[in-house]
Amino acid sequence: MTAPQQVDYRDVQRVWLEADAIPEIEHAWLFDHLLPIGGDPLGPVFEGWTLLSALAAQTSRLRVGVLVTSNRIRPPALLAKMAATVDVVSDGRLDLGLGAGSRPSWPGARREYDAHGLPFHDAKHAIGSLAEACTIIKRVWTEEEPFDFDGTYHQLKGAFGNPKPVQSPHPPLMIGGRSKSVLRVVAEHADLWNVPGADFADALERSATMDRLLDELGRDPATLTRSIHLPVSYDDPARTREAVAAAVRAGFTHVIFGLPAPYPEGVARWVADELVA
């Protein structure tokens, strides 16, 4: 995972092209912020989906995605169209990462929304909107005729998507988050669930909550892939390896390495040798 902030385009491009040639690395991710969330608040940050499309066109093997798209920024039918386009560009390699958007409790949450004229509703609105968005996106991807949608948070008339995504029935949907309300949306809609792994004890607690929610829905836990984002230490790879081992033992089979910038030369090969192998 290469957060596209405080870096140049060529830095991110270099890492992705290198990773694309290394079979041990299976997927690559960007993030979805419009202003930096770390480092210089006026530093560079690239828009995630336009950058993703560029990188998808230049790679041939990696699965690609945004970890995770803020549902606050783009209307879901528009996002479905964007995602279908990237799936076509990548010849069926997209995982759609989606989340409720920045937490209102985070002090810097409103900054990027206010700066771009985007509404920043409360948590209840964000979660309800996310649940409806999951339904809308899948319908745009799969329905063969235009449809209307009259929801609490979204209203559409004549919604339709063409071309459809390459992947059938549609690209996998990853939802990221840790609050119980988000986990309920995950249990109902997602193919993959991602949780930050900096606080591993918390990740385990959230995973146990997920088990209970899946049981309530009568859903087989094996149908939900558990994904964890782990910060990488270039100076202490053993610590990262220990975190990976613990995560896998706990049932997290989809591991995303958060690479801090600046990215060393050959960092993708380093990840494969020092962390994966």
Side-chain angles (χ1 to χ4, degrees), residues 21-123:
I22 299 174
E24 295 92 337
I25 300 175
E26 297 176 337
H27 40 91
W29 300 85
L30 303 170
F31 77 7
D32 190 30
H33 288 282
L34 304 177
L35 291 173
I37 59 171
D40 179 1
L42 300 181
V45 60
F46 293 96
E47 195 282 319
W49 275 91
T50 44
L51 181 57
L52 183 69
S53 189
L55 295 169
Q58 297 176 72
T59 54
S60 61
R61 184 191 57 82
L62 291 167
R63 296 198 62 80
V64 300
V66 174
L67 186 73
V68 287
T69 308
S70 170
N71 188 55
R72 296 179 184 273
I73 295 177
R74 304 165 193 82
L78 172 62
L79 178 61
K81 169 64 75 172
M82 294 166 59
T85 300
V86 173
D87 202 51
V88 170
V89 168
S90 67
D91 196 24
R93 292 183 285 121
L94 175 72
D95 289 342
L96 175 58
L98 187 62
S102 300
R103 303 183 307 277
S105 59
W106 177 48
R110 295 190 64 101
R111 176 174 172 256
E112 60 187 327
Y113 297 91
D114 290 344
H116 292 85
L118 298 169
F120 192 79
H121 300 291
D122 61 18

Side-chain angles (χ1 to χ4, degrees), residues 71-183:
N71 188 55
R72 296 179 184 273
I73 295 177
R74 304 165 193 82
L78 172 62
L79 178 61
K81 169 64 75 172
M82 294 166 59
T85 300
V86 173
D87 202 51
V88 170
V89 168
S90 67
D91 196 24
R93 292 183 285 121
L94 175 72
D95 289 342
L96 175 58
L98 187 62
S102 300
R103 303 183 307 277
S105 59
W106 177 48
R110 295 190 64 101
R111 176 174 172 256
E112 60 187 327
Y113 297 91
D114 290 344
H116 292 85
L118 298 169
F120 192 79
H121 300 291
D122 61 18
K124 179 182 178 181
H125 185 288
I127 302 302
S129 175
L130 175 64
E132 290 187 1
C134 293
T135 298
I136 291 169
I137 289 167
K138 291 180 182 180
R139 291 187 67 182
V140 170
W141 281 344
T142 59
E143 299 223 359
E144 296 299 332
E145 298 292 337
F147 66 91
D148 297 343
F149 185 89
D150 186 18
T152 302
Y153 305 95
H154 301 283
Q155 294 79 41
L156 308 175
K157 191 171 184 64
F160 183 64
N162 186 15
K164 301 299 186 189
V166 172
Q167 298 178 81
S168 181
H170 54 71
L173 176 60
M174 171 195 276
I175 298 178
R178 53 184 294 279
S179 71
K180 189 170 183 178
S181 54
V182 170
L183 298 188

